[in-house]
Amino acid sequence: QSALTQPASVSGSPGQSITISCTGTSSDVGGYNYVSWYQQHPGKAPKLMIYEVSNRPSGVSNRFSGSKSGNTASLTISGLQAEDEADYYCSSYTSSSTNVVFGGGTKLTVL
Amino acid sequence: EVQLVESGGGLVKPGGSLRLSCAASGFTFSSYSMNWVRQAPGKGLEWVSSISSSSSYIYYADSVKGRFTISRDNAKNSLYLQMNSLRAEDTAVYYCARDPGATFGWYFDLWGRGTLVTVSS
């Protein structure tokens, strides 16, 4: 069981917006602004999409945005495109003995 | 080109040892913290270990503490993971990942392609 809870799957049609949630505790997501999001296509390495809750690295489309409320962080993808179909993982620093925790991952299907 | 390239994976018997390497190029390796993250077949990502730019700070996941040792050689632009007392549950693709902080930013902005470690008799 992963430390952060994500839905196993989400889906949307091209052009629509979807949101993936990532729920933790006050020891991780809720206590620090060290939430990040990664995109992983099959057989590929993960790619950083969002860091420090809502910051986008250079080169990442502005269709990707992040936010946080309490112990839940969210990744929103607007204007869905076929290439967005992938697995998405959230991550957070944690004050527990394991310094970094990941969510279990969410499979995004573009219908 | 900015990249990380892992090597050293393979098949090892339970209880055995393996040393992974990660060669960095295209950036000032000594300015960044580095990490190992693994992914078991068909499973999610799991953080394994982190080391600060000067090796002053080192952290491990509980699942590998006492068995794995992370190290780096800034002169050789290389990161290592010595894995001892390997178990079947250590079977995974091991990724080398860069943290943009000299100490830790706690996110990973550059990843290698990974190296597969299989622990099986």
Side-chain angles (χ1 to χ4, degrees):
Chain A
Q1 188 172 0
S2 302
L4 304 180
T5 300
Q6 298 180 233
S9 63
V10 298
S11 63
S13 299
Q16 289 185 332
S17 295
I18 64 95
T19 297
I20 300 172
S21 62
C22 171
T23 301
T25 69
S26 58
S27 296
D28 39 66
V29 173
Y32 306 92
N33 287 326
Y34 288 126
V35 176
S36 51
W37 290 89
Y38 303 89
Q39 176 193 65
Q40 186 179 36
H41 288 107
K44 301 295 187 182
K47 175 187 176 183
L48 177 68
M49 305 303 285
I50 296 288
Y51 66 97
E52 293 173 354
V53 177
S54 60
N55 294 312
R56 225 176 13 255
S58 173
V60 172
S61 170
N62 59 9
R63 298 186 299 105
F64 292 82
S65 62
S67 63
K68 188 182 82 167
S69 177
N71 295 335
T72 298
S74 298
L75 172 71
T76 298
I77 309 173
S78 59
L80 268 180
Q81 299 179 1
E83 67 211 48
D84 299 332
E85 185 163 292
D87 293 326
Y88 291 84
Y89 294 91
C90 63
S91 176
S92 175
Y93 171 77
T94 173
S95 57
S96 73
S97 57
T98 294
N99 296 69
V100 177
V101 288
F102 282 94
T106 297
K107 182 176 179 59
L108 169 62
T109 300
V110 180
L111 302 171
Chain B
E1 181 185 1
V2 175
Q3 65 177 354
L4 299 169
V5 179
E6 302 93 337
S7 61
L11 176 63
V12 61
K13 290 181 168 54
S17 298
L18 213 54
R19 189 194 195 207
L20 305 184
S21 298
C22 171
S25 58
F27 64 97
T28 305
F29 179 73
S30 59
S31 297
Y32 294 85
S33 297
M34 296 297 297
N35 307 265
W36 289 99
V37 177
R38 69 185 181 183
Q39 186 170 35
K43 303 297 185 182
L45 301 172
E46 180 188 13
W47 172 77
V48 173
S49 182
S50 297
I51 185 168
S52 62
S53 59
S54 61
S55 303
S56 298
Y57 301 95
I58 288 175
Y59 301 103
Y60 298 99
D62 289 343
S63 57
V64 307
K65 202 171 293 182
R67 301 186 300 122
F68 290 11
T69 303
I70 191 172
S71 63
R72 64 190 295 162
D73 186 336
N74 286 343
K76 294 183 177 180
N77 293 331
S78 293
L79 175 73
Y80 306 101
L81 185 68
Q82 177 66 43
M83 304 185 296
N84 299 330
S85 303
L86 282 162
R87 307 165 180 168
E89 54 263 37
D90 295 317
T91 294
V93 173
Y94 284 73
Y95 293 103
C96 168
R98 186 180 75 176
D99 180 315
T103 48
F104 306 101
W106 301 116
Y107 64 95
F108 314 123
D109 68 343
L110 179 67
W111 296 66
R113 293 186 175 185
T115 187
L116 176 62
V117 172
T118 303
V119 184
S120 175
S121 54

